[in-house]
Amino acid sequence: MSTDYVEQWAKQHPLAPIHVDCAIAVMLKILDGKCKMDTVEKVIMTQLYDQVKDCPNHLLEPEIHHLIAQARQQLDDEMVMLIYEKRVLAETMISRPVMKGFKAMIREQGLFEQG
């Protein structure tokens, strides 16, 4: 799994601010253990988050990145609950059609097709 591939993909397919929010929400879902993607897709989505976390987003507060960084360092039960709460809040802010559109777009544009 090449970080270079995801970095190149992100450069060739810049995300709209609302799609950066979607990538953040997926990262939260990965961290709270509720993401249904397979292991390879989770790794790719984590790499995508790392590529876009400094890009402008639309709905979510910038402090979410600090929380994600903390969770990636120490993911205990208390942190999982906090991440879960932030993820549910993010998912209420991002409409279901927007999130589905984001997931369809990254698949159609080949994010998961390394090689």
Side-chain angles (χ1 to χ4, degrees):
M1 220 138 330
S2 169
T3 303
D4 293 341
Y5 174 83
V6 177
E7 180 179 0
Q8 193 64 31
W9 185 94
K11 286 179 182 174
Q12 293 174 350
H13 303 90
L15 298 183
I18 190 66
H19 289 154
V20 174
D21 285 322
C22 293
I24 295 166
V26 172
M27 186 67 202
L28 292 169
K29 199 165 193 168
I30 290 169
L31 288 169
D32 78 4
K34 303 298 182 192
C35 185
K36 295 177 184 172
M37 291 179 167
D38 67 35
T39 303
V40 171
E41 290 178 344
K42 287 179 191 176
V43 170
I44 292 170
M45 287 305 298
T46 299
Q47 292 172 351
L48 180 63
Y49 168 78
D50 287 337
Q51 292 300 316
V52 303
K53 66 184 175 188
D54 295 325
C55 295
N57 66 302
H58 180 64
L59 299 169
L60 304 178
E61 296 295 323
E63 295 80 27
I64 196 71
H65 299 297
H66 179 68
L67 181 65
I68 289 170
Q70 283 183 297
R72 291 172 85 178
Q73 293 297 312
Q74 183 175 359
L75 192 60
D76 57 20
D77 290 344
E78 185 177 330
M79 181 60 77
V80 169
M81 283 307 300
L82 183 54
I83 291 290
Y84 168 79
E85 290 171 7
K86 295 294 184 181
R87 193 241 325 149
V88 170
L89 179 60
E91 289 179 340
T92 62
M93 296 171 75
I94 302 166
S95 74
R96 187 164 287 215
V98 167
M99 185 61 88
K100 285 185 175 233
F102 167 72
K103 290 177 181 176
M105 182 264 304
I106 61 175
R107 286 186 190 286
E108 288 168 8
Q109 294 183 357
L111 178 60
F112 300 115
E113 297 172 13
Q114 293 190 52

